[in-house]
Amino acid sequence: MIAVSEKNAPSTKNCPHNAAINCASCRLSAICLPLALAQDEIVQLDEIVQRGRPLQKGQHLYREGDTFTSIYAVRSGSVKAYSVSDSGEEQVTGFYLPGEILGMDGIGHNRYASSAVAMEVAAICEIPFANIEDLSGKLPNMQKHFFKLLSQEIVEDQQHITLVSKHTAEERIASLLVSISARNARRNLSPLSFRLPMSRTDIGNFLGLTIETVSRVFSRFAKQGLLEIDKKEVTVLDIDTLKRVASLGH
Amino acid sequence: MIAVSEKNAPSTKNCPHNAAINCASCRLSAICLPLALAQDEIVQLDEIVQRGRPLQKGQHLYREGDTFTSIYAVRSGSVKAYSVSDSGEEQVTGFYLPGEILGMDGIGHNRYASSAVAMEVAAICEIPFANIEDLSGKLPNMQKHFFKLLSQEIVEDQQHITLVSKHTAEERIASLLVSISARNARRNLSPLSFRLPMSRTDIGNFLGLTIETVSRVFSRFAKQGLLEIDKKEVTVLDIDTLKRVASLGH
DNA sequence: TAACGGGTTTGATCTACGTCAACTAGTGAA
DNA sequence: TTCACTAGTTGACGTAGATCAAACCCGTTA
């Protein structure tokens, strides 16, 4: 909500984080919401999308318990979602990169079930959910796409359950690296050389490991020649082995 | 698909598993799909619901990879869903009791992402998804309800991730027991005395534990006077402590 | 220049749970 | 009755990863 309420503020038009004026011309259109829509339908989507000024690192997009109003698409930068359980411990529930949608956990109870915070400067598109519901009633493509999106998130979460409940530390971390690599490839970025936007603490929390274990596994992978890692900068040297480790049962 | 294709076979009309002829008169209507619909809308839902002959224990409702056609509501008995990863190991993804909906993981890619098998004799309602999409386009209540259902499953899966990645064996098992107890209460069954429909193996798999650990924790809970357990028959003696253990951070 | 603080790495030790193995209790077949 | 088979329990022991503890790195501030 914060910092994304104003539409198309003139002063931000030339900022790289605001390059897209509309969905049709957005370079992410092939992987983001427009993906499933026809040309004329994208225009209708475009009318309900609100583009705000970029979030700074550490700024929240929404907080757990806030009244649910909108879902969000990442346009640039990256966002992490996390929830805090009754017992007070934090659980990182996801990392969101450009073209990815977050906030859908709020639909079920009209309150966000998690908080979302920028891990670096990030530009976000806000899409009010009431408008999505309207549009979904009119455009079968839109309805179908949202059913699919939600369902896919269920499947991904279930795969993540398998990952954290049945796989070793090495498999979990290889899996995360392969996932980020593939998501970069989708955006035509290098799948072998990239910067991890999240801290070791976030990685550990997301994967159900301690920060020390994360650090040790990175070191071990480097020693084995699978990758080079300098702080957050990763260069994958042997993606095939990494993929094998990632999908190894044990 | 198997065994649920024929509609209202006359021979099953008097079977207890076929007590409901329609959604409006079904004793689960308050917790199942009709929950969100108006009287006249339930009639429309009713027209697309297919009620089949009961599944026997061990029979599959659908299998991972099958073309997605329908979602299912449990009318009696119980069903477990599980998926098999590339690496071959099984992951139990959920247990479904009367009034609960399964199969929604198939929407995303037009194939079921898991298999569903009856854990005991079970009556199932099949609802073709194409009809749900049609109806959702016409009835905003229906669309809204399905968005909510899907979103709630996301939130539950994320809570399950927290459970298996951050909680001890005792907390996980207490949590499962409290969940089953609450779901029984919703159906006006005793929350303190019930039969677990699933095996120790299934419980362990679902919670990311071995069968031995499950067994030991049950024994420990019994020794501490929290419950009595005889094979699958559970009597909860101290639900408050059990709930405390279930939501304990550590 | 030093002092500070957050994020990260590395080593030493501990522990919850997994693994392996033996045993019990049903259940059903012949 | 015995045999076989499956599900569950219990005990002894091993281990992956947690915990505890130092130290390091690198901006920032004083």
Side-chain angles (χ1 to χ4, degrees), chain A residues 18-205:
Chain A
N18 276 276
I21 313 302
N22 59 59
C23 290
S25 71
C26 179
R27 83 202 137 72
L28 294 168
S29 64
I31 62 172
C32 188
L33 280 185
L35 158 79
L37 301 179
Q39 209 57 40
D40 58 317
E41 295 173 334
I42 296 180
V43 177
Q44 297 185 62
L45 168 63
D46 209 60
E47 276 166 12
I48 65 173
V49 173
Q50 297 170 13
R51 297 173 190 82
R53 110 150 53 82
L55 257 63
Q56 295 304 306
K57 177 173 177 170
Q59 274 192 306
H60 276 77
L61 194 50
Y62 52 81
R63 286 174 192 274
E64 190 173 346
D66 283 355
T67 298
F68 171 71
T69 56
S70 305
I71 63 165
Y72 299 88
V74 179
R75 197 156 78 252
S76 70
S78 55
V79 170
K80 103 179 157 184
Y82 66 95
S83 60
V84 180
S85 71
D86 310 337
S87 34
E89 89 269 3
E90 222 174 280
Q91 169 74 49
V92 172
T93 54
F95 301 119
Y96 297 89
L97 305 182
E100 299 175 348
I101 311 290
L102 70 159
M104 297 187 297
D105 59 22
I107 299 170
H109 297 290
N110 280 314
R111 319 207 146 265
Y112 293 102
S114 58
S115 303
V117 63
M119 295 191 290
E120 58 193 315
V121 174
I124 308 289
C125 295
E126 174 174 0
I127 312 151
F129 191 66
N131 295 337
I132 289 178
E133 287 185 312
D134 282 354
L135 211 48
S136 293
K138 284 181 249 164
L139 308 179
N141 277 346
M142 187 76 167
Q143 189 196 64
K144 195 180 267 281
H145 186 58
F146 267 91
F147 281 146
K148 276 179 189 287
L149 263 186
L150 285 156
S151 170
Q152 281 163 13
E153 186 153 338
I154 291 171
V155 173
E156 282 161 24
D157 285 346
Q158 288 177 351
Q159 288 168 346
H160 196 61
I161 290 170
T162 305
L163 192 69
V164 299
S165 80
K166 305 255 196 302
H167 289 234
T168 64
E170 298 203 348
E171 287 158 6
R172 293 182 215 187
I173 289 182
S175 184
L176 177 64
L177 289 170
V178 169
S179 165
I180 289 175
S181 167
R183 285 146 81 191
N184 282 344
R186 251 166 60 101
R187 292 184 284 134
N188 301 314
L189 298 179
S190 169
L192 299 182
S193 180
F194 47 87
R195 184 186 152 78
L196 294 172
M198 70 292 281
S199 68
R200 299 285 190 272
T201 305
D202 288 336
I203 293 174
N205 190 311

